[in-house]
Amino acid sequence: MTPSFQRQDAELQILCALPGRAHDLARLGLLAAPGRAPVVTVIGKYNHGKSRLLNELIGMAAFSVADRRETLVLGERLHAGVCWLDAPGLDADVDAADDGHALQAAWLKSDIRLFVHAAKEGELDAAERSLLAALRSDAQRSKRQTLLVLTQVDQLVDEAQQQKVMQAIALQTAAMALHAVSSTRYRQGVDAGKRLLLERSGIPALQSALKRALEGVAEARWHEAMLLFNEIQAELLQLQAARQSALQGLCHEQVQQRLRFDTDLIAVLDKVAESMRAVLAAPGPDHSLTPDSFANQFKLTPGKLERNRLQVAYSTACIEINAVLLKHGATELPLAQQTSVRSLDSVMVAVMGVYVKYRRDLGEIFCQVPGRERLLHEFSRYYEASVDRVALARSVAAAGQALRAADQALAAHVRCTPSREAP
Ligand SMILES: Nc1nc2c(ncn2[C@@H]2O[C@H](COP(=O)(O)OP(=O)(O)OP(=O)(O)O)[C@@H](O)[C@H]2O)c(=O)[nH]1
Ligand SMILES: [Mg+2]
């Protein structure tokens, strides 16, 4: 497997364990890609002059500019060792998919964001404020920088109005540095070779600020890579611990449940064996084996009385054992063993059979070691095949699998430990 496939494979394993970290994993993957140029993205509402600003910053008409909603998909241009991203304008009323692209660009790919706001619009609106707040809090966490750019300032009537707008925005942004620019003035300054216009355009000052920000990208990337790596690792460790304890809990329950069943089953078999011994110890001949004749079919014979006594003892034993099976949810046969005759679908019938029991049978079944061992073995087997017990076993298997997935994700994550790129 090539290193990039290995990384994808590892990312997939981590993603399966932590689906909520999809974005961070994608970002971490980008941060790990060697030799990636720093990425500068414009972000802001449509028609606020984002594409034109990028064109002026890089000195070429790389992105399409128009007096309407123009940029609809993410545009990308590599220039002077920087990747410039032109994002569609944000405006929830127009097309949420475009907004999605712009945000994806801002959050996923970019190292530096130019948050663009057109001066003629005055203050930032609610959507801009909340986006800027999110970008700033991300900057605190990831050290990715956002530069606030007030565009198209030439459209304001005079300097005083510009100051008014800037003061209003300063109040909204807790005095975040605001770069006032005019692409129009800059172009005029370049075309006419007028230095004053160039300076008044604010673009050279923005370029200097951008240059400083770009110088910090390598350090910021390293910080962010370690931050994301450590956060994901902590979450994976947490997940692993939670899954470990879930599995332990289920295994404990499985063992305890079985212990409770074994204890109850042994107790009832002991009790039944004792009662049966008393029944079988009756003195005198065993009349139960003497068949009834036609002549005394309606008479109470010693044979009938004895068979009746054995039958009552046997039924009592079965009822007592069945009570234990019932308590532990193991009275019905597993689905695969069920027949069309409902009354035969019980564990008792399956284990004890339907033949008539005589003294010898009862002694062998309940009082002798092989019989008792068989009962223990058979009832336990059916207990393990009972619905709840099978469900518990499945939960244990699933919890084991989930733990293995967390283990693998953690190992995969460790294989992706960031390494610092040589400057
Ligand atoms: N007067 C003036 N107009 C500008 C300036 N910057 C851009 N414009 C004009 O504003 C309009 C919109 O500019 P774009 O750069 O296409 O705006 P955008 O933000 O990229 O718009 P979308 O791609 O739709 O999101 C165009 O007509 C530009 O020529 C400026 O500094 N001054
Ligand atoms: Mg545009």
Side-chain angles (χ1 to χ4, degrees), residues 50-52 64-65 70-71 86-89:
K50 299 183 297 298
S51 301
R52 182 151 177 207
S64 170
V65 172
E70 178 65 8
T71 310
D86 187 19

mmCIF file of all heavy atoms in Angstrom, residues 50-52 64-65 70-71 86-89, ligand 2:
data_model
loop_
_atom_site.group_PDB
_atom_site.id
_atom_site.type_symbol
_atom_site.label_atom_id
_atom_site.label_comp_id
_atom_site.label_asym_id
_atom_site.label_seq_id
_atom_site.Cartn_x
_atom_site.Cartn_y
_atom_site.Cartn_z
ATOM 1 N N LYS A 50 -15.246 40.151 -3.580
ATOM 2 C CA LYS A 50 -14.254 39.141 -3.167
ATOM 3 C C LYS A 50 -13.344 38.740 -4.326
ATOM 4 O O LYS A 50 -12.124 38.736 -4.200
ATOM 5 C CB LYS A 50 -14.972 37.879 -2.637
ATOM 6 C CG LYS A 50 -15.836 38.114 -1.426
ATOM 7 C CD LYS A 50 -16.469 36.828 -0.909
ATOM 8 C CE LYS A 50 -17.423 36.167 -1.899
ATOM 9 N NZ LYS A 50 -18.592 36.998 -2.251
ATOM 10 N N SER A 51 -13.973 38.402 -5.469
ATOM 11 C CA SER A 51 -13.182 37.906 -6.600
ATOM 12 C C SER A 51 -12.247 39.002 -7.099
ATOM 13 O O SER A 51 -11.076 38.752 -7.395
ATOM 14 C CB SER A 51 -14.109 37.458 -7.734
ATOM 15 O OG SER A 51 -14.969 36.455 -7.264
ATOM 16 N N ARG A 52 -12.786 40.203 -7.167
ATOM 17 C CA ARG A 52 -11.949 41.301 -7.674
ATOM 18 C C ARG A 52 -10.784 41.574 -6.719
ATOM 19 O O ARG A 52 -9.669 41.860 -7.160
ATOM 20 C CB ARG A 52 -12.814 42.549 -7.863
ATOM 21 C CG ARG A 52 -11.999 43.671 -8.433
ATOM 22 C CD ARG A 52 -12.771 44.622 -9.268
ATOM 23 N NE ARG A 52 -11.893 45.700 -9.700
ATOM 24 C CZ ARG A 52 -12.311 46.905 -9.997
ATOM 25 N NH1 ARG A 52 -13.595 47.202 -9.935
ATOM 26 N NH2 ARG A 52 -11.458 47.822 -10.384
ATOM 27 N N SER A 64 -13.467 35.378 -12.051
ATOM 28 C CA SER A 64 -14.498 36.120 -12.770
ATOM 29 C C SER A 64 -15.196 37.129 -11.843
ATOM 30 O O SER A 64 -15.588 36.806 -10.716
ATOM 31 C CB SER A 64 -15.483 35.092 -13.321
ATOM 32 O OG SER A 64 -16.589 35.728 -13.804
ATOM 33 N N VAL A 65 -15.336 38.335 -12.363
ATOM 34 C CA VAL A 65 -15.938 39.437 -11.586
ATOM 35 C C VAL A 65 -17.169 39.933 -12.333
ATOM 36 O O VAL A 65 -17.143 40.067 -13.552
ATOM 37 C CB VAL A 65 -14.923 40.598 -11.447
ATOM 38 C CG1 VAL A 65 -15.580 41.826 -10.814
ATOM 39 C CG2 VAL A 65 -13.715 40.157 -10.627
ATOM 40 N N GLU A 70 -21.932 36.082 -9.016
ATOM 41 C CA GLU A 70 -21.071 35.600 -10.091
ATOM 42 C C GLU A 70 -20.391 34.269 -9.775
ATOM 43 O O GLU A 70 -20.523 33.297 -10.493
ATOM 44 C CB GLU A 70 -20.011 36.677 -10.398
ATOM 45 C CG GLU A 70 -19.012 36.309 -11.452
ATOM 46 C CD GLU A 70 -19.640 36.118 -12.837
ATOM 47 O OE1 GLU A 70 -20.846 36.417 -12.985
ATOM 48 O OE2 GLU A 70 -18.942 35.649 -13.753
ATOM 49 N N THR A 71 -19.630 34.246 -8.688
ATOM 50 C CA THR A 71 -18.879 33.023 -8.379
ATOM 51 C C THR A 71 -19.844 31.973 -7.802
ATOM 52 O O THR A 71 -20.454 32.202 -6.760
ATOM 53 C CB THR A 71 -17.761 33.337 -7.359
ATOM 54 O OG1 THR A 71 -17.032 34.467 -7.836
ATOM 55 C CG2 THR A 71 -16.842 32.158 -7.173
ATOM 56 N N ASP A 86 -11.226 31.268 -4.409
ATOM 57 C CA ASP A 86 -12.341 32.206 -4.539
ATOM 58 C C ASP A 86 -13.629 31.444 -4.259
ATOM 59 O O ASP A 86 -13.981 30.497 -4.963
ATOM 60 C CB ASP A 86 -12.362 32.775 -5.967
ATOM 61 C CG ASP A 86 -13.393 33.890 -6.093
ATOM 62 O OD1 ASP A 86 -13.791 34.439 -5.046
ATOM 63 O OD2 ASP A 86 -13.795 34.197 -7.234
ATOM 64 N N ALA A 87 -14.305 31.837 -3.206
ATOM 65 C CA ALA A 87 -15.499 31.094 -2.798
ATOM 66 C C ALA A 87 -16.761 31.832 -3.230
ATOM 67 O O ALA A 87 -16.765 33.055 -3.344
ATOM 68 C CB ALA A 87 -15.497 30.938 -1.282
ATOM 69 N N PRO A 88 -17.838 31.083 -3.473
ATOM 70 C CA PRO A 88 -19.107 31.739 -3.782
ATOM 71 C C PRO A 88 -19.551 32.600 -2.614
ATOM 72 O O PRO A 88 -19.237 32.308 -1.455
ATOM 73 C CB PRO A 88 -20.078 30.574 -3.979
ATOM 74 C CG PRO A 88 -19.240 29.361 -4.125
ATOM 75 C CD PRO A 88 -17.965 29.625 -3.408
ATOM 76 N N GLY A 89 -20.310 33.642 -2.928
ATOM 77 C CA GLY A 89 -20.782 34.537 -1.873
ATOM 78 C C GLY A 89 -21.802 33.870 -0.979
ATOM 79 O O GLY A 89 -22.570 33.008 -1.410
HETATM 80 MG MG MG B 2 -16.953 36.223 -6.859
#
